[in-house]
Amino acid sequence: MKNTVRFISILLTTWIFFIIFSCTNNTATNKKTTITAKTTGRAKHIEKPPSTYPDTLTINLPAAVFYYPDSLQLKKIKALLDTSVYKGIMHDYFYEMRYARMAIKKNWPALTIIDSKNYRYLLFIKKDGSFEYIDLNKKNDVYGLFVFERKKSPIQVDMTNIETQISFYLKE
């Protein structure tokens, strides 16, 4: 019984979280997000540690590319944050990515889901032969999602507002 009540409360909290953040005007693709660490009573902003790997992932098909920190980046981030803050952030990312994957599989099955963990660069090759590089070290989001349709430039998508952003991107 306790597990059922706990599951329902977690589900309700997550649902409220998604509603609140999906209804706001989100400019996540235009601004740099930062990780906040609490030290000596003051909040300070820290930058995402650089990638350990110099490799490039090449994408030449319609895709949803989820990117993650490598294990050393994750250790550095964990060392910079209070344990409860770190656990909360990881919890949020887990559910955002899970929700995004389910939405993509359900609504856009033609998009191939690709995971990028041990790569620093993403190379998107367009249908006309042109290409775009993205340096993940310049993205201060620890976890993220790019959507790519070969006729256009890839876009970074806010996972809590995935349906709206992908729909607009694919319709244009």
Side-chain angles (χ1 to χ4, degrees):
M1 181 67 174
K2 285 184 181 181
N3 287 338
T4 305
V5 171
R6 181 173 167 85
F7 175 75
I8 291 172
S9 67
I10 290 172
L11 186 63
L12 183 60
T13 304
T14 305
W15 181 72
I16 291 169
F17 173 80
F18 284 126
I19 288 177
I20 290 170
F21 287 102
S22 67
C23 295
T24 60
N25 184 11
N26 193 334
T27 58
T29 56
N30 298 331
K31 69 178 181 177
K32 202 175 193 183
T33 56
T34 57
I35 303 166
T36 302
K38 192 170 184 179
T39 56
T40 64
R42 284 192 200 162
K44 78 171 192 173
H45 295 290
I46 58 173
E47 296 293 319
K48 177 177 84 172
S51 176
T52 309
Y53 298 90
D55 298 334
T56 301
L57 175 63
T58 302
I59 300 100
N60 59 3
L61 59 129
V65 182
F66 288 90
Y67 66 88
Y68 307 84
D70 61 54
S71 58
L72 290 178
Q73 280 179 301
L74 209 49
K75 283 183 182 179
K76 290 176 185 176
I77 292 166
K78 187 175 184 177
L80 293 169
L81 298 172
D82 179 65
T83 303
S84 61
V85 172
Y86 175 79
K87 286 181 179 180
I89 290 171
M90 293 303 115
H91 175 83
D92 289 346
Y93 282 133
F94 173 80
Y95 283 101
E96 286 177 16
M97 294 185 92
R98 184 174 143 210
Y99 175 75
R101 284 176 185 281
M102 289 187 314
I104 291 166
K105 287 177 183 177
K106 178 183 175 189
N107 300 318
W108 302 282
L111 290 176
T112 301
I113 294 177
I114 299 172
D115 292 309
S116 172
K117 184 170 185 174
N118 295 328
Y119 296 95
R120 175 178 174 179
Y121 301 99
L122 301 177
L123 172 61
F124 293 95
I125 300 176
K126 296 181 184 176
K127 200 170 201 162
D128 65 3
S130 63
F131 57 89
E132 288 191 35
Y133 266 107
I134 295 177
D135 182 353
L136 295 176
N137 280 355
K138 294 183 180 179
K139 301 292 179 187
N140 207 36
D141 296 318
V142 179
Y143 292 80
L145 170 62
F146 283 95
V147 175
F148 179 57
E149 193 276 321
R150 294 193 64 211
K151 295 176 188 169
K152 306 174 198 173
S153 296
I155 62 163
Q156 188 169 7
V157 175
D158 173 27
M159 290 183 279
T160 61
N161 194 17
I162 190 166
E163 287 94 351
T164 303
Q165 289 183 341
I166 292 179
S167 292
F168 283 136
Y169 172 73
L170 294 176
K171 285 182 184 178
E172 295 175 352

